[in-house]
Amino acid sequence: MAAAAIEKLPQLKSATDGLNEMSDNERSGFINLVSRYLSGEAQHIEWSKIQTPTDEIVVPYDKMANVSEDASETKYLLDKLVVLKLNGGLGTTMGCTGPKSVIEVRDGLTFLDLIVIQIENLNNKYGCKVPLVLMNSFNTHDDTQKIVEKYTNSNVDIHTFNQSKYPRVVADEFVPWPSKGKTDKDGWYPPGHGDVFPSLMNSGKLDAFISQGKEYVFVANSDNLGAVVDLKILKHLIQNKNEYCMEVTPKTLADVKGGTLISYEGKVQLLEIAQVPDEHVNEFKSIEKFKIFNTNNLWVNLKAIKKLVEADALKMEIIPNPKEVDGVKVLQLETAAGAAIRFFENAIGVNVPRSRFLPVKATSDLLLVQSDLYTLVDGFVTRNKARTNPTNPAIELGPEFKKVASFLSRFKSIPSIVELDSLKVSGDVWFGSGVVLKGKVSVKANSGTKLEIPDNAVVKDKDINGPEDL
């Protein structure tokens, strides 16, 4: 990094000192991140040193010992666990204004409802006290606090804390945007989920859980419906004293950009596409060499987090995220929790079934989980056994379906898709109730025309471009 950039650090630091909205922890965390970025300390990966991890490092899920039927063993394991959901994201990409976790997923229940029901069932069944922790951002905090109130009488202790709030940096002058007068929310950003470790510590929650005898935290995205508590993994970690475990699952063509686990200089670490030299990107994306990807379901030992945060040892790769907001070019620096794997002792991956990765990032995912492909039992979304194909249908919905409200209005009821291979919809298309889709289906309304799929229609292996094709 040019010396000129390093010289900007004192000016940035004094401007940051003047921002009263930040805590001391946030100030030092922010300056630390920026100085690491400016010093250009990015870890350089030597491609030839990358090795495919062995089964000792990425353990196959079915090789892990089962948990005994004895309820007392289950209670013993669960009493050591904290569940933490990353809840900082807004549902803006799906046209919603509040936290993404309050989008209704199934049977009128939101992501958050399902998470609470799952943990409540565990606590009731085994007489344990697994707490739920939500890491919010300043974007989701107020709304989440209001929503959490409705669970006051549930058998789950719900804790919330906020991840750090860092100022966006004006790119050409390298000063914090709020000090230039951008004092509303747009002047700030949450610095990625790698911030979960210091923020959990700074909130005081980490020490509180350790003092209660908790040992592991299970961290997952709040929009991943497959990320449920798994006793087999927890038992394995406790028995083998693994400080960190990342769940990975076999890559399909939809996941080629996802980070993967590698063995590098004797340690397991996450390799993200951003770290890959240009000439190796196609190799990285191939399913042959890199067969697994990170689900962002992470299991981490609480005392190990405390030790590493106190030693300021979690120097995860920095992800620069340049943006343009209101015509101003700004920079935000972020980190990812998965990248922390290389700092923990005895860290492993576990190659889990695809069912543990069911994220809802777009309305096409919502269509899958609301359909007859899944059923809901005790808050768990379970795949329909009638589906013989292990992979889910590939679904592409046009922009008319992008927002949740318009998506819901275009389906009188969600079609049956148990026997669907792929669906592509574009244009002004509307679905009646009781529609069954099978095989490969494409529905395209020509511009200016409205195309309605009638009630109870069975559409199999068809390209529909107008009413005459039905």
Side-chain angles (χ1 to χ4, degrees):
M1 188 63 72
I6 299 281
E7 283 164 17
K8 292 178 176 165
L9 199 59
Q11 159 197 335
L12 183 80
K13 192 173 183 314
S14 68
T16 306
D17 286 341
L19 298 174
N20 299 329
E21 301 95 324
M22 297 175 81
S23 68
D24 290 345
N25 283 328
E26 285 172 323
R27 274 197 201 93
S28 60
F30 172 68
I31 293 299
N32 190 345
L33 195 60
V34 174
S35 32
R36 279 179 55 213
Y37 171 71
L38 291 177
S39 70
E41 61 152 50
Q43 189 210 6
H44 176 66
I45 297 267
E46 280 187 54
W47 200 253
S48 58
K49 288 187 180 176
I50 291 177
Q51 292 178 312
T52 304
T54 62
D55 281 2
E56 279 74 41
I57 294 178
V58 175
V59 183
Y61 181 78
D62 46 18
K63 295 257 173 75
M64 288 182 159
N66 285 317
V67 175
S68 76
E69 296 294 309
D70 182 359
S72 64
E73 185 190 2
T74 303
K75 181 181 186 313
Y76 167 81
L77 294 171
L78 288 171
D79 280 337
K80 297 184 180 300
L81 185 66
V82 174
V83 174
L84 189 153
K85 297 288 179 172
L86 303 169
N87 191 51
L90 293 166
T92 40
T93 43
M94 293 162 79
C96 300
T97 49
K100 191 171 174 190
S101 57
V102 301
I103 293 174
E104 283 190 9
V105 188
R106 183 133 195 154
D107 304 359
L109 299 168
T110 65
F111 289 106
L112 207 48
D113 292 334
L114 295 176
I115 291 163
V116 172
I117 293 167
Q118 289 163 13
I119 298 179
E120 191 165 33
N121 282 323
L122 285 174
N123 287 345
N124 289 342
K125 187 172 176 184
Y126 297 104
C128 52
K129 272 297 215 193
V130 177
L132 170 62
V133 187
L134 302 172
M135 180 169 87
N136 298 320
S137 64
F138 60 87
N139 289 317
T140 60
H141 172 76
D142 293 349
D143 286 339
T144 305
Q145 291 306 99
K146 288 192 201 98
I147 293 153
V148 165
E149 281 172 16
K150 77 175 201 186
Y151 304 116
T152 323
N153 298 323
S154 77
N155 185 17
V156 182
D157 288 336
I158 301 180
H159 304 256
T160 61
F161 69 94
N162 272 17
Q163 72 174 112
S164 306
K165 175 179 171 179
Y166 287 176
R168 285 175 163 156
V169 175
V170 180
D172 54 354
E173 302 169 64
F174 222 76
V175 290
W177 206 11
S179 68
K180 299 269 299 181
K182 187 67 173 173
T183 50
D184 64 5
K185 276 189 173 177
D186 283 345
W188 303 85
Y189 75 99
H193 48 60
D195 184 55
V196 63
F197 305 119
S199 288
L200 182 60
M201 170 103 170
N202 295 338
S203 70
K205 305 274 181 205
L206 183 66
D207 285 334
F209 290 134
I210 291 172
S211 70
Q212 291 163 19
K214 305 292 183 195
E215 290 181 21
Y216 281 88
V217 59
F218 172 43
V219 180
N221 296 348
S222 62
D223 67 3
N224 179 6
L225 295 171
V228 299
V229 170
D230 189 290
L231 294 164
K232 244 169 81 153
I233 297 175
L234 181 58
K235 177 181 178 174
H236 185 94
L237 302 181
I238 291 171
Q239 282 186 337
N240 294 280
K241 299 190 165 52
N242 303 109
E243 287 187 352
Y244 187 111
C245 170
M246 173 188 290
E247 292 185 38
V248 292
T249 198
K251 252 191 206 183
T252 66
L253 291 171
D255 320 300
V256 291
K257 291 183 176 169
T260 191
L261 283 184
I262 56 171
S263 288
Y264 191 79
E265 297 183 330
K267 295 206 87 160
V268 60
Q269 73 180 59
L270 182 67
L271 176 66
E272 297 274 17
I273 195 161
Q275 298 166 281
V276 177
D278 291 347
E279 66 270 25
H280 294 291
V281 166
N282 284 341
E283 193 182 342
F284 176 82
K285 286 182 175 178
S286 88
I287 306 182
E288 278 71 54
K289 178 165 181 177
F290 299 105
K291 295 184 168 68
I292 51 174
F293 75 99
N294 170 22
T295 63
N296 219 37
N297 298 349
L298 311 170
W299 301 75
V300 196
N301 180 281
L302 295 170
K303 285 182 177 166
I305 296 174
K306 182 176 165 72
K307 183 181 73 185
L308 289 166
V309 171
E310 282 177 343
D312 191 22
L314 290 175
K315 300 198 184 304
M316 281 95 89
E317 286 71 23
I318 295 170
I319 307 159
N321 189 353
K323 286 186 182 280
E324 191 167 306
V325 185
D326 298 345
V328 179
K329 286 192 167 60
V330 292
L331 177 66
Q332 49 190 60
L333 303 175
E334 301 170 13
T335 60
I341 189 166
R342 64 194 178 95
F343 301 106
F344 288 84
E345 292 298 317
N346 205 3
I348 58 168
V350 55
N351 194 348
V352 296
R354 182 77 188 198
S355 58
R356 293 191 56 74
F357 184 67
L358 187 60
V360 179
K361 301 290 181 201
T363 49
S364 51
D365 302 320
L366 206 51
L367 175 59
L368 289 173
V369 298
Q370 291 189 343
S371 75
D372 57 352
L373 202 54
Y374 289 93
T375 50
L376 189 62
V377 184
D378 294 346
F380 297 97
V381 177
T382 315
R383 207 153 173 273
N384 186 340
K385 291 197 168 51
R387 168 99 178 161
T388 47
N389 185 338
T391 60
N392 278 345
I395 295 179
E396 275 181 64
L397 301 175
E400 296 79 4
F401 290 80
K402 187 176 179 189
K403 296 188 168 173
V404 174
S406 43
F407 162 83
L408 292 171
S409 70
R410 286 177 178 273
F411 291 99
K412 266 202 218 165
S413 72
I414 300 290
S416 164
I417 59 171
V418 174
E419 294 177 50
L420 179 70
D421 296 322
S422 65
L423 171 67
K424 201 168 184 175
V425 182
S426 57
D428 187 11
V429 178
W430 300 75
F431 288 82
S433 62
V435 173
V436 179
L437 303 174
K438 301 179 176 192
K440 293 186 172 170
V441 177
S442 162
V443 188
K444 184 180 180 185
N446 296 320
S447 86
T449 58
K450 177 178 180 179
L451 182 54
E452 298 189 49
I453 308 291
D455 292 354
N456 306 316
V458 177
V459 184
K460 183 176 180 181
D461 291 323
K462 257 190 178 173
D463 288 349
I464 299 170
N465 296 309
E468 67 283 354
D469 298 326
L470 282 160

